Amino acid sequence: MFENLLDDIGARFPLTEKEDATRQFQAMGMAFEARAYAAKGLGHVGVMTAQGPMRMETLVINPFELDAPILSYDRIHAMGQEILIAEMYDSLLGDSFCADGMAKALGEAALFPDKGQEAWFAPLIVHPWLNQKGSADDAARYDGIAADYVGAYLAAAQAAEPCDTEAKREKAAAYSEGLLKNGGPATDPVKAAMGETFTAELFRRTLFGT
């Protein structure tokens, strides 16, 4: 599924891998590999996979050329459970990005639950988001939901206006720098295993491209 999402992005915005951005490391008893791509006409794409007691996939789209929000996708396969989380974060400079089509494409899957928490990044979240948790029987359905979500996002991004790349990069850094400053379930284990310098380089160069 993960490679299919990359194919969907590349079909609209040709991808070129940034060879100097590849990172491999061990954390939480798992082997991680992170890579980055330049998406022509869009911006930066960061990906990370983990293999071990569980399997994890992360995809980040950070659009610097079109005025669309950051997209973050996480998929976890663990002990017969399937978890799908996909969110957008405000890095917008104007109001040309329209997410109405995303909710229509997702249908009932867009009926996101209340997270019941007030995380530091809550004001940055752009609707709609996905937070799905199920069993292995839900894997194929979650694949379809993820494809619909990313596909609808890409269509909305294509319809958004071009923007100033440096201004967009600076606005986008608010989220990724916030992760480094405030920590979180994905950030803290990497810091503990690899240190702050490695983690900052991983986030700034590979995952978010800021």
Side-chain angles (χ1 to χ4, degrees), residues 38-39 51 65 73 83 91 103 117 167-168 170 185-186 190 199 201:
Q51 301 286 340
E65 298 180 50
Y73 156 92
I83 298 172
S91 63
Q117 63 179 4
K168 193 67 158 55
E170 182 176 351
V190 180
T199 306
E201 182 75 2

Side-chain angles (χ1 to χ4, degrees), residues 74-96:
D74 289 289
R75 186 73 178 272
I76 300 171
H77 318 266
M79 296 176 287
Q81 287 190 325
E82 292 285 329
I83 298 172
L84 166 61
I85 300 171
E87 294 176 327
M88 295 181 290
Y89 301 100
D90 186 6
S91 63
L92 299 169
L93 301 176
D95 59 3
S96 65

Side-chain angles (χ1 to χ4, degrees), residues 107-145:
E108 292 184 3
L111 299 177
F112 38 82
D114 182 359
K115 291 190 171 185
Q117 63 179 4
E118 292 187 6
W120 67 267
F121 54 81
L124 296 176
I125 293 178
V126 177
H127 292 194
W129 71 71
L130 295 172
N131 190 339
Q132 307 284 324
K133 184 176 181 180
S135 69
D137 292 338
D138 295 306
R141 182 167 64 88
Y142 285 3
D143 286 348
I145 292 172

Side-chain angles (χ1 to χ4, degrees), residues 6 9-21 35-47 60-65 169 205-209:
L6 281 178
I9 298 169
R12 300 173 187 252
F13 305 99
L15 297 175
T16 302
E17 186 168 358
K18 300 179 179 180
E19 296 183 2
D20 63 340
R35 308 189 309 276
Y37 300 85
K40 186 177 180 181
L42 178 64
H44 180 90
V45 176
V47 299
V60 175
I61 302 176
N62 210 351
F64 300 135
E65 298 180 50
R169 194 183 303 272
R205 180 179 296 276
T206 306
L207 292 181
F208 291 92

